[in-house]
Amino acid sequence: MEIDHDKIDEAVLALMWLTLHDGCRAWKSFDWAVTDRLYRKGLIADPANKAKSVVLTDEGLQKAEELFKTLFTRKP
């Protein structure tokens, strides 16, 4: 089976939107490879620090909300 890392990244970013606090911070209890890819895509700040949360960029916040709505809400 071939893993689609982009789909995994999108799901994790959507779940980060679910755990947002302080406006742009999300818990970073996700796989390090995923958070590294999200960082390289410019969607989150560098996750390699001692904080238990990560900062989403403006682009990351927007995309996270869009993905959350697409992946996890019911259509009317």
Side-chain angles (χ1 to χ4, degrees):
M1 150 174 57
E2 185 178 348
I3 295 173
D4 186 335
H5 293 286
D6 288 330
K7 285 183 180 179
I8 292 171
D9 296 350
E10 289 176 351
V12 168
L13 189 62
L15 290 171
M16 284 183 173
W17 190 81
L18 180 66
T19 66
L20 277 179
H21 59 94
D22 296 336
C24 63
R25 298 189 77 81
W27 298 115
K28 65 176 185 182
S29 57
F30 297 100
D31 181 76
W32 284 101
V34 176
T35 56
D36 185 52
R37 286 193 304 269
L38 292 173
Y39 170 63
R40 286 183 298 183
K41 292 176 181 180
L43 300 171
I44 64 173
D46 191 351
N49 58 49
K50 293 184 180 188
K52 294 182 181 180
S53 61
V54 66
V55 175
L56 278 72
T57 64
D58 289 340
E59 179 185 358
L61 280 169
Q62 180 180 354
K63 187 167 179 124
E65 183 175 6
E66 291 169 6
L67 288 167
F68 183 86
K69 289 176 181 177
T70 299
L71 296 172
F72 302 122
T73 60
R74 292 190 175 118
K75 308 287 186 250

